[in-house]
Amino acid sequence: MEDFSAISVFVRVVEAKSFSAAAQHLEMTPSGVSRAISRLEENLGARLFFRSTRSLRLTDDGSAFYARCKEILADLTEATEALGYARTKPAGKLKVAASSAVGRAALIPNLAEFERRFPDIRLEMTMCDFPFDLNEEGFDCAIRMGELADSSLIARKIGHFSNVLCASPGYLGRHGTPSTIEELRQHKTVNFVHPSTGKPSQWQFDTPGGRVSVDVDAHMLINDGESVIQAAIAGLGIIQAPHCLAACALEKGMLEIIMTDTISTGSNLWIVYPQKRHLSARVQAFIEWTSELFQRTSEPQCKIVEQQQAELMKMQKMAMPAVAKVA
């Protein structure tokens, strides 16, 4: 079809539900819109609308053609954005879904950084703790954790959960710091309860003898991950939580990691999005930013500190001048 612009006119007429409204949006005359539609119908050899003085309705052929045209125009827009991604600033509305815990504890505290980097993206976030269809709900992407069910979505790993034991400095000052699993059993603990099953989380520990799973006799049970972290900050007990969720509290000194030699690697963290030939610049920007964010916060802080200290000591040794032996 030579006149591709007629497809845009057709889609606008369907969405505006009238030739005159579409003409106003397209800055055309109603007669110009009518001629474009008639030319399109002639080229296709099919009638797209039932026209009357009072109504405008799609034919069956028109309905099927509209669905395909809408997809084509969306792909064209995304292809254009993707082509210019390196040269232009991503802009427009971005609809993202995440679990409540990930959203509140990991994303929102860092969104100021995202806005500084991408000021023209208008983020619309939905906190949701149950599965849903991204396509049906109109989401651009979602952050999910653990094992993914088979689906038509594209999944990209952006990090993992390193499970850390932590508590507030106030709690540790009053009750001491356990160094073994047996000592931990003598302390107050706050545990997460899975909302879908009602079962408390089983704590995992990596030891020289392998992975150890422990059923904790918790002093307090809470079915919201962010609330578990807030309980620990309030000094109510020791928790085991994904490092990326506790990272902000750890960074601010509101929590401290304990028993650093038992940190266990937990579930993977994913960003998922519908299968499309071209990703919009907005989605690409969000994927890149979340990948950087969770790569920083997935690694336990204590390991980072140990690596930094080891590198510093290595550099200091290399910088030390050789001392000549004196006979």
Side-chain angles (χ1 to χ4, degrees):
M1 183 178 298
E2 295 180 3
D3 191 1
F4 193 77
S5 63
I7 292 178
S8 298
V9 174
F10 166 68
V11 169
R12 178 53 58 186
V13 170
V14 175
E15 293 175 348
K17 299 179 181 178
S18 78
F19 282 11
S20 58
Q24 186 176 6
H25 180 86
L26 296 167
E27 297 183 349
M28 297 172 64
T29 63
S31 60
V33 170
S34 180
R35 285 195 299 272
I37 296 300
S38 296
R39 187 169 61 248
L40 182 60
E41 289 177 323
E42 185 179 342
N43 289 339
L44 292 170
R47 189 177 184 182
L48 300 175
F49 291 104
F50 292 118
R51 300 174 178 84
S52 73
T53 55
R54 294 184 178 180
S55 66
L56 182 70
R57 293 185 298 111
L58 283 169
T59 64
D60 290 343
D61 286 338
S63 295
F65 189 61
Y66 169 69
R68 295 290 294 132
C69 287
K70 193 172 182 181
E71 289 180 4
I72 290 168
L73 290 178
D75 284 346
L76 180 61
T77 300
E78 290 178 354
T80 303
E81 289 182 343
L83 188 63
Y85 175 62
R87 300 187 300 275
T88 62
K89 292 183 179 179
K93 185 176 77 170
L94 178 66
K95 194 173 180 183
V96 178
S99 70
S100 300
V102 171
R104 290 200 298 261
L107 289 179
I108 289 177
N110 293 287
L111 282 182
E113 174 193 335
F114 179 77
E115 289 197 336
R116 283 194 299 270
R117 288 175 59 176
F118 307 105
D120 297 321
I121 292 180
R122 184 163 58 88
L123 189 62
E124 183 178 316
M125 281 198 65
T126 296
M127 308 301 184
C128 187
D129 293 316
F130 55 85
F132 60 90
D133 191 305
L134 263 67
N135 289 301
E136 286 185 6
E137 300 296 332
F139 284 94
D140 293 297
C141 58
I143 295 176
R144 292 180 175 169
M145 59 186 118
E147 296 299 320
L148 297 177
D150 292 336
S151 72
S152 60
L153 300 176
I154 301 294
R156 175 173 168 178
K157 183 181 174 183
I158 55 175
H160 65 272
F161 286 126
S162 295
N163 296 311
V164 294
L165 284 180
C166 46
S168 70
Y171 175 88
L172 297 175
R174 293 191 302 273
H175 302 283
T177 303
S179 57
T180 66
I181 295 175
E182 287 307 313
E183 289 181 9
L184 178 64
R185 295 182 190 277
Q186 309 305 314
H187 281 259
K188 289 183 177 181
T189 55
V190 180
N191 199 9
F192 172 70
V193 176
H194 297 276
S196 58
T197 63
K199 294 182 178 180
S201 179
Q202 195 176 53
W203 290 13
Q204 307 291 325
F205 301 90
D206 285 345
T207 69
R211 176 69 60 87
V212 174
S213 299
V214 176
D215 291 316
V216 179
D217 184 15
H219 170 69
M220 183 178 295
L221 297 171
I222 304 176
N223 69 347
D224 174 73
E226 170 64 8
S227 298
V228 170
I229 293 171
Q230 292 301 319
I233 292 172
L236 296 175
I238 297 171
I239 63 170
Q240 185 176 72
H243 185 273
C244 61
L245 300 189
C248 286
L250 290 165
E251 208 172 282
K252 295 175 182 178
M254 294 185 290
L255 292 178
E256 293 180 11
I257 297 177
I258 62 173
M259 294 173 59
T260 57
D261 56 341
T262 64
I263 292 170
S264 67
T265 302
S267 303
N268 288 328
L269 195 64
W270 310 86
I271 189 161
V272 298
Y273 49 90
Q275 289 191 23
K276 294 181 180 179
R277 287 186 292 276
H278 305 284
L279 275 180
S280 70
R282 298 182 299 277
V283 176
Q284 288 191 55
F286 189 74
I287 290 174
E288 290 178 10
W289 178 75
T290 51
S291 297
E292 293 173 12
L293 171 65
F294 287 108
Q295 287 300 322
R296 291 200 309 265
T297 58
S298 290
E299 184 72 13
Q301 183 66 31
C302 58
K303 288 188 178 180
I304 293 175
V305 171
E306 288 174 357
Q307 291 168 0
Q308 290 174 340
Q309 290 175 342
E311 288 294 323
L312 181 61
M313 290 180 64
K314 184 178 178 181
M315 291 174 63
Q316 289 174 341
K317 287 181 180 179
M318 292 175 63
M320 290 177 63
V323 178
K325 289 185 179 180
V326 179

